[in-house]
Amino acid sequence: MDSIGLAHNELSRPQDHVIISGGRAFIIDFESASLNSRVSNVAQILNALVMGRGSIQDRVRAALGVSIDFYGLRNVIRRYKVTRSDDDFMQILRLLRLE
């Protein structure tokens, strides 16, 4: 969605807008979506699931089984928000060991 400039604008609450079924994730409810926003969907979902503090974030980090370099990840997320490049996206995946 980022690559086409479509911002969902509500992925900071993935429990309300992401459904996981059959091992696949589906994003729903595009009522607040925008083509004019500089919001990064990737940054929103990572902030909600990984970077934040709480039991959900703790469980996601445990499921990933990695020790996260928050400083490094935050810097790559910031760079990705500007560049929207595949290289920066892949760097995010590498830091999360999802590549």
Side-chain angles (χ1 to χ4, degrees), residues 12 20 24 49 65 73 83 95 98:
S12 59
I20 299 174
R24 296 178 60 185
L49 293 177
L73 183 57
T83 67
L95 286 170
L98 293 173

Side-chain angles (χ1 to χ4, degrees), residues 5-24:
L6 178 64
H8 186 280
N9 293 320
E10 299 212 26
L11 292 177
S12 59
R13 293 188 327 272
Q15 69 276 13
D16 297 335
H17 302 282
V18 178
I19 296 173
I20 299 174
S21 176
R24 296 178 60 185

Side-chain angles (χ1 to χ4, degrees), residues 26-43:
F26 299 91
I27 298 173
I28 62 169
D29 189 8
F30 285 79
E31 182 179 335
S32 299
S34 165
L35 290 173
N36 299 325
S37 178
R38 290 292 301 155
V39 172
S40 167
N41 298 294
V42 171

Side-chain angles (χ1 to χ4, degrees), residues 2 6 20 25 29 37 43 54 65 67-68 74 78-79 81:
D2 285 345
L6 178 64
I20 299 174
D29 189 8
S37 178
S67 174
I68 296 172
R74 185 172 289 115
R78 285 181 181 151
R79 190 170 61 231
K81 285 175 70 172

Side-chain angles (χ1 to χ4, degrees), residues 53-64:
R53 295 185 182 154
S55 62
I56 291 173
Q57 293 84 358
D58 290 342
R59 290 191 335 218
V60 169
R61 289 190 295 263
L64 290 173

